[in-house]
Amino acid sequence: MGFTGLARWLNAPSNGIDIVQANLRTNHSALFHSRWHLSVKSYRSVLGQLPDANIQSERNMFALTLDENVFILLEDPAAPSRADVLAAAPPGQEAIYLQSPSHYRNTFLTLRPPGGLEQLLAQIKARWISVRQATGQRNNINGQQLTIEGRTFSIGTDWLVRVGNVQLAGGAIKGMLLEQKAEYLPLPVLHSAVADGTSELLSNLLTSILPNLPDAKTVAVTISDAQWEDVLWDRDQEVREMKDPEPEVMNDDPYAWDGTDIVEWKQGDWVGVDRDQRSAFLIMGALRSEGLL
């Protein structure tokens, strides 16, 4: 199973990356792995400018570019979420209700290559504008809004730690972002004694990575499994499973492992692009909560 954790060091100094690097090497024997670079842009629809348009609220789109992939989160505040539809559905009518909306509040996509989204929006003259551009880049759909520049370190063969400064388009530094991730193949699920399900393993490691400075302002970034499921769920697949559920198979082997608490797991779902999806969603959520997007 894969794990990921995210934290913000809001008042990190200009040499914050060097401080974290020294701490990682001294206390965790970490090794430099690679350079970490990503960029984020946000867009807003202007459909309300169309004649006779009856738009309740404009839509938001966030695009995070990491390596050769672009992770896009499209949000329509006027559309229902999966949880809203299921809550309104009478018992036994969930499958029918899930097919009713034309689309849902959140749509999460992965595109390649980088730059393809901007080209598509320009070619079809889509009514989207880039927001929060630097001076002289107003409404420039190609300008980057925010970047994260840093380094990636490895701890043993399991853990990867990413550390980077958050830099706005105008050059201002808005603290530091720290991400830690790992994959433990023998464990498809991690149980926690904490009431909210927070992993103590992640929390303790994250605490040890951050420097022990008296005035350091740090914030942990979390996402519940319900939120993540609401973003990534496959409507067609869920409807098929509701209409034709698979029969429950009982295993009488006393040594068989009980995996009934695992909702969904597949081999390799924490490598490559699939692994980076959750990271991208967490990072966009953290930056949005601070009003940086």
Side-chain angles (χ1 to χ4, degrees), residues 7-13 173-176 178 216-219 290:
R8 286 275 284 128
W9 185 3
L10 300 176
N11 60 341
I173 302 297
K174 291 293 184 178
M176 181 185 296
L178 300 96
K217 297 180 180 179
T218 59
V219 178
E290 298 179 32

Side-chain angles (χ1 to χ4, degrees), residues 81-281:
S81 67
R82 170 179 173 272
D84 295 335
V85 174
L86 290 177
Q93 300 295 316
E94 291 86 354
I96 297 176
Y97 271 64
L98 285 174
Q99 298 178 75
S100 300
S102 60
H103 65 281
Y104 283 82
R105 183 171 303 166
N106 294 310
T107 303
F108 197 44
L109 307 171
T110 303
L111 299 181
R112 298 183 69 177
L117 175 64
E118 290 83 354
Q119 293 178 5
L120 176 63
L121 294 177
Q123 289 175 0
I124 65 176
K125 298 181 179 180
R127 292 188 174 274
W128 290 85
I129 60 172
S130 182
V131 298
R132 293 180 180 269
Q133 293 294 336
T135 303
Q137 291 184 328
R138 188 176 183 85
N139 294 344
N140 178 7
I141 206 168
N142 294 314
Q144 294 299 341
Q145 172 183 318
L146 180 150
T147 59
I148 296 178
E149 293 281 354
R151 307 162 193 166
T152 302
F153 302 90
S154 60
I155 301 177
T157 58
D158 294 315
W159 291 96
L160 285 179
V161 179
R162 291 170 170 173
V163 185
N165 289 323
V166 178
Q167 182 173 345
L168 302 183
I173 302 297
K174 291 293 184 178
M176 181 185 296
L177 193 70
L178 300 96
E179 181 191 42
Q180 57 185 22
K181 58 176 59 181
E183 182 173 12
Y184 290 107
L185 295 178
L187 294 178
V189 67
L190 178 67
H191 295 284
S192 174
V194 183
D196 60 0
T198 304
S199 169
E200 293 183 72
L201 177 64
L202 278 175
S203 301
N204 293 338
L205 181 57
L206 191 59
T207 302
S208 66
I209 290 174
L210 292 169
N212 187 17
L213 300 178
D215 59 343
K217 297 180 180 179
T218 59
V219 178
V221 181
T222 61
I223 176 177
S224 67
D225 290 338
Q227 289 176 293
W228 184 236
E229 183 181 359
D230 195 53
V231 172
L232 281 189
W233 75 290
D234 187 326
R235 171 164 54 173
D236 294 335
Q237 178 181 350
E238 183 166 359
V239 170
R240 287 195 301 268
E241 292 175 352
M242 286 182 174
K243 291 182 176 180
D244 188 19
E246 295 183 2
E248 184 177 354
V249 178
M250 301 300 295
N251 194 333
D252 296 330
D253 185 353
Y255 300 102
W257 170 61
D258 182 11
T260 56
D261 56 344
I262 302 175
V263 178
E264 182 178 0
W265 177 77
K266 57 184 179 180
Q267 183 70 26
D269 66 349
W270 205 261
V271 295
V273 177
D274 292 332
R275 180 190 63 186
D276 289 335
Q277 276 187 326
R278 194 176 187 114
S279 297
F281 187 76

Side-chain angles (χ1 to χ4, degrees), residues 27-48:
N27 298 317
H28 298 281
S29 301
L31 300 175
F32 175 79
H33 183 272
S34 60
R35 176 174 168 265
W36 187 33
H37 170 81
L38 62 86
S39 59
V40 190
K41 284 191 68 175
S42 60
Y43 303 86
R44 179 173 55 85
S45 67
V46 287
L47 300 175

